[in-house]
Amino acid sequence: MTTTVDLVPGMVTTRDAIAAAFGCGTFQGIEPAADAGKVFVYSDPSAGEEYGYTFDGRAEDDAFGPLYLYTGAGAKGDQKPSGRNGALLSHVEKKRELHLFVAHGRVPGSGAMLQRYIGQMVLDPVKPFEVRRGPGTDGAMRNVLVFRFRPAEGTSPAWTEADNLPAATANAVEIVDPAAGVPAPVVLPQQSGVKVKKTEQHSTAETVADIPAGQRKVLRREGELVKAFVAHLTAAGHEIHSFQITIAGEPGALTPDLYDATDHVLYEAKGLTTRANVRMAIGQLADYRRHIPGRRDLLRVAVLLPSEPTADVKDLLGEEYVELVYQTTDGFAGWPLAYKKP
């Protein structure tokens, strides 16, 4: 197989040209090219808008830098982390480069879509995907996997303002499963030192999201904390879920960590028991609680921590009317919350 396409960010090409050069398919949004050691991803935000959701696009930078969101494969029914979606989750483990394209109009005189090359990506190694709720082609609501891409090391992505996540058109609140939103971290092999030609940047074995190892552990700890508390509440017979909150005029969605429907309590978890983390949780809860269904005067909010905070942080939570639950060696201190008279 002879490669006749140089992958340079900003170039405009077609699926057929990529398929001819690298030996992949042309019809799916996720097209592995095993022999070439690549996975090609074709993002088309307008396709999601047709069914009422807007998950694809350039998200706001977070603490770890640029982020692009991409809706996984599966037209109806809950999407699964297998098949073509599995090709994304395993791309680093299998030493396959991940290349992102965005729909860029149509070929003149043809129905074929043009594709603008954004650049080489890598799946976020801590939180590879989020679970969202959206309609399938049959109109039924289902779980959708929204993958989180980071630019690969050495890549300058060719995205534009037009690639930003579109704003929601209406306010909406959907129930989501909090446990489904805590995926296992992706496998990160040892760096190989293997290089590829300059136009294709670095090999995937070297490219990991620029998230410090210590912070990766913190974020993973937060996910494990939520899973453990979900199991604790479930064992106690509580009905639990979370919410996907979209706000008209704003891109993306608000996603609280956990809602205990039995006790009407909203929880926000943090992986570190520090003042900065607790202050952030207080602010998030103040924002989220405005949109939670049910009697707002009876809704309680709580911070979930991996260990006991200092006395002054406890006082801060009390003065802000935020409950505290933290993990111990034999369960969760502070739970069940003190009874609140209606």
Side-chain angles (χ1 to χ4, degrees):
M1 177 172 54
T2 301
T3 299
T4 57
V5 174
D6 284 335
L7 297 172
V8 179
M11 64 174 285
V12 177
T13 184
T14 63
R15 288 176 180 245
D16 286 343
I18 296 299
F22 299 104
C24 60
T26 61
F27 297 106
Q28 302 294 323
I30 302 169
E31 290 287 3
D35 291 344
K38 294 174 172 54
V39 179
F40 295 99
V41 176
Y42 297 96
S43 178
D44 186 357
S46 65
E49 290 180 14
E50 180 180 350
Y51 299 108
Y53 57 84
T54 53
F55 300 139
D56 278 42
R58 171 86 159 84
E60 292 184 4
D61 291 5
D62 62 12
F64 309 110
L67 186 65
Y68 190 95
L69 304 183
Y70 173 76
T71 306
K76 59 183 178 180
D78 290 344
Q79 293 184 349
K80 306 294 184 182
S82 56
R84 291 180 186 270
N85 293 327
L88 294 183
L89 291 168
S90 64
H91 85 93
V92 173
E93 182 182 6
K94 293 182 177 179
K95 297 182 173 60
R96 294 177 179 174
E97 298 170 3
L98 178 60
H99 295 276
L100 175 64
F101 291 82
V102 172
H104 192 72
R106 296 190 179 276
V107 178
S110 166
M113 295 292 297
L114 289 168
Q115 305 291 334
R116 177 165 43 87
Y117 180 50
I118 299 298
Q120 186 176 337
M121 299 285 125
V122 64
L123 203 58
D124 189 299
V126 177
K127 191 173 186 180
F129 62 82
E130 301 172 350
V131 176
R132 295 283 180 264
R133 295 288 290 175
T137 53
D138 58 359
M141 295 297 291
R142 51 33 180 298
N143 287 344
V144 174
L145 304 184
V146 179
F147 290 93
R148 295 159 50 85
F149 296 158
R150 305 280 186 180
E153 181 184 358
T155 295
S156 296
W159 41 43
T160 68
E161 284 289 321
D163 299 318
N164 290 346
L165 278 174
T169 57
N171 294 340
V173 178
E174 293 286 344
I175 292 176
V176 298
D177 177 2
V182 187
V186 295
V187 175
L188 295 177
Q190 294 295 318
Q191 294 185 1
S192 68
V194 176
K195 294 287 194 298
V196 295
K197 63 183 183 180
K198 187 175 181 180
T199 54
E200 294 177 11
Q201 304 301 332
H202 301 277
S203 75
T204 337
E206 293 184 288
T207 54
V208 297
D210 189 18
I211 302 175
Q215 189 63 27
R216 290 180 192 171
K217 292 179 181 178
V218 171
L219 295 175
R220 289 173 183 171
R221 185 187 309 157
E222 183 176 306
E224 291 302 316
L225 178 63
V226 170
K227 289 172 67 175
F229 194 51
V230 165
H232 181 80
L233 292 176
T234 301
H238 283 227
E239 178 188 345
I240 55 173
H241 54 258
S242 188
F243 298 100
Q244 170 184 294
I245 305 166
T246 52
I247 310 297
E250 296 185 10
L254 304 177
T255 53
D257 284 325
L258 180 64
Y259 172 67
D260 181 348
T262 301
D263 283 350
H264 197 33
V265 182
L266 188 69
Y267 290 89
E268 184 64 23
K270 291 299 172 190
L272 282 179
T273 307
T274 64
R275 184 178 301 275
N277 278 266
V278 171
R279 289 169 64 183
M280 182 183 298
I282 291 171
Q284 289 173 288
L285 289 167
D287 190 9
Y288 298 153
R289 70 184 307 168
R290 301 161 49 241
H291 305 284
I292 302 303
R295 288 187 58 181
R296 194 176 302 173
D297 59 324
L298 295 182
L299 176 68
R300 287 179 288 177
V301 294
V303 172
L304 178 64
L305 298 176
S307 60
E308 185 177 9
T310 65
D312 192 64
V313 168
K314 289 182 181 179
D315 290 342
L316 169 63
L317 289 167
E319 291 184 13
E320 295 298 324
Y321 301 99
V322 178
E323 307 278 358
L324 168 64
V325 175
Y326 60 89
Q327 194 169 28
T328 65
T329 55
D330 57 356
F332 289 89
W335 191 92
L337 303 183
Y339 175 73
K340 182 177 180 180
K341 187 176 180 180

